[in-house]
Amino acid sequence: MKRTEFGRLIDTIFAAKAGEELSCSDYFERLPRYAELEAAGEDAAARLPDVRHHMHQCPECEEVYLGLLEVVLAEKKSDASR
Amino acid sequence: MTTRTNTEWLSALRETGQSQESAVKELRQLLHRAIFSFLSRKGATSAAGPSYDQDDLAEDCAQESVLLIQSKLDQFRGDSQFTTWAYSIAIRVTLNELRRRRWRTSAIEAARLGDAMPHWPIDNPGPERNLEQQQAWAILTELIETALTPLQRKALIAHAFQEMPLDLVAEWLGTNRNSLYKLIHDARKRLQAALLSRGVTHRELIAIFDTPRPERPYLEDGKKSFFTASND
């Protein structure tokens, strides 16, 4: 295990909320909107805090977000150059 | 390639015949392009193994994504572009496939799965911090052994320490990803409570494993570090 991964695990332990958290399915439903807000330069984390929290707690889900954001930004750039 | 609105995408994909064929083809091309580009940026070739062909993988994942999207059309919420939603599914499918391939080549023995904590979790800890880190690690492993249920322990060890992908952990434990996330969430809460009951805080634990070593600024009240109190 890498140092950064271990640090992340510790973070997730202490960031676990007392109540329910967004499930992975609920997260994936909201993720496209989150990525579009972020790509538009808006504060997606403030608008959709549960989504932000889930991606912090679930590195696999965050990896999907990072990949999606890249795709959305590339599309935006391509649209702008047309 | 045409530019479709969300409504046009949904209706074309729900129709039959030429209109649907054309929409499916267009969607597959869009996803293939996005996946191929994603894989190129990610430099995933070596991570997925030497026999891996980027174009073949992009084609397979695009095909699988299209089928998944067609089966989930009713779940599209309409609060984003249809294509963004479709891309999110394609990236998930692709990352899942990469994780599965990586896991297939990992060295974890079936008998050790979910059952064996690594002796030391940190890459190159540095000798000056070794004792403090070993003490912290001993507490964490003890709590993982004693504060969690057997199922929570299995799931956490397999996923967090043995790097088994979440979907595969879920399959292995005969559950689904949502239930597994909840199980691990509950495990985190138990560990959090157990650590706090030992007087171990987030900042302290992070600081112990962090570099360079801080001058203990994380102890606001001037107390000695929990982990080094008996050794100073």
Side-chain angles (χ1 to χ4, degrees):
Chain A
M1 179 180 252
K2 293 186 177 67
R3 187 186 299 271
T4 49
E5 291 166 350
F6 183 70
R8 177 70 170 268
L9 175 67
I10 296 298
D11 282 345
T12 65
I13 288 171
F14 283 96
K17 290 180 178 176
E20 293 290 310
E21 292 187 356
L22 218 55
S23 68
C24 295
S25 297
D26 291 338
Y27 166 83
F28 286 128
E29 281 185 11
R30 292 160 175 78
L31 181 61
R33 177 72 182 139
Y34 188 99
E36 286 185 350
L37 286 170
E38 194 71 21
E42 295 193 40
D43 190 349
R47 299 270 296 271
L48 300 169
D50 285 351
V51 176
R52 177 70 191 89
H53 179 74
H54 182 91
M55 72 173 72
H56 174 266
Q57 296 297 86
C58 190
E60 284 188 15
C61 284
E62 184 182 43
E63 198 178 7
V64 176
Y65 159 69
L66 294 172
L68 177 61
L69 185 62
E70 279 181 18
V71 173
V72 172
L73 289 172
E75 283 284 300
K76 200 176 166 187
K77 195 173 167 187
S78 160
D79 288 345
S81 64
R82 274 177 205 158
Chain B
M1 203 168 275
T2 57
T3 304
R4 300 170 191 262
T5 64
N6 286 357
T7 310
E8 286 165 347
W9 270 115
L10 290 172
S11 353
L13 290 169
R14 281 179 176 135
E15 282 171 18
T16 52
Q18 183 67 38
S19 177
Q20 188 194 41
E21 273 179 34
S22 165
V24 167
K25 184 181 172 190
E26 189 178 331
L27 182 61
R28 192 170 55 240
Q29 286 172 344
L30 272 179
L31 299 185
H32 179 272
R33 193 179 63 195
I35 293 169
F36 189 85
S37 170
F38 170 69
L39 290 172
S40 304
R41 287 192 299 271
K42 194 171 172 56
T45 305
S46 57
S51 61
Y52 158 87
D53 180 283
Q54 192 164 300
D55 195 47
D56 284 350
L57 179 60
E59 190 59 50
D60 289 350
C61 290
Q63 185 62 37
E64 187 183 337
S65 302
V66 168
L67 293 173
L68 206 53
I69 287 163
Q70 285 183 293
S71 73
K72 288 174 175 284
L73 286 179
D74 290 341
Q75 294 174 28
F76 174 58
R77 292 158 59 102
D79 58 358
S80 69
Q81 293 292 313
F82 175 81
T83 46
T84 307
W85 178 71
Y87 289 140
S88 76
I89 290 172
I91 297 294
R92 277 167 62 191
V93 165
T94 306
L95 282 169
N96 279 346
E97 180 56 25
L98 289 175
R99 289 188 197 111
R100 280 174 188 270
R101 289 181 184 210
R102 274 198 293 269
W103 174 250
R104 277 203 296 269
T105 59
S106 79
I108 300 293
E109 298 162 29
R112 291 182 58 232
L113 194 53
D115 196 35
M117 292 288 289
H119 293 299
W120 186 251
I122 303 298
D123 53 334
N124 189 25
E128 77 284 0
R129 310 222 51 204
N130 221 6
L131 180 62
E132 201 174 27
Q133 289 181 346
Q134 280 184 23
Q135 288 173 325
W137 177 243
I139 286 180
L140 191 65
T141 51
E142 180 203 326
L143 293 179
I144 287 173
E145 293 292 338
T146 58
L148 304 185
T149 67
L151 197 59
Q152 287 171 342
R153 186 163 56 246
K154 263 178 175 294
L156 188 75
I157 292 174
H159 177 57
F161 296 100
Q162 297 174 325
E163 299 177 359
M164 188 183 202
L166 269 179
D167 286 327
L168 294 182
V169 177
E171 280 175 27
W172 173 57
L173 294 178
T175 183
N176 59 51
R177 183 165 172 147
N178 284 342
S179 301
L180 178 66
Y181 182 80
K182 174 78 168 59
L183 183 77
I184 292 179
H185 170 63
D186 290 342
R188 286 179 180 130
K189 283 194 293 189
R190 282 187 178 222
L191 283 175
Q192 184 188 119
L195 285 164
L196 291 173
S197 75
R198 296 280 191 99
V200 182
T201 66
H202 180 207
R203 274 207 294 173
E204 185 171 23
L205 204 49
I206 286 293
I208 283 168
F209 287 97
D210 211 357
T211 52
R213 182 176 187 157
E215 294 302 318
R216 300 184 185 172
Y218 45 87
L219 296 177
E220 304 89 343
D221 56 4
K223 284 191 301 188
K224 289 179 179 177
S225 163
F226 176 85
F227 298 105
T228 54
S230 60
N231 298 294
D232 284 356

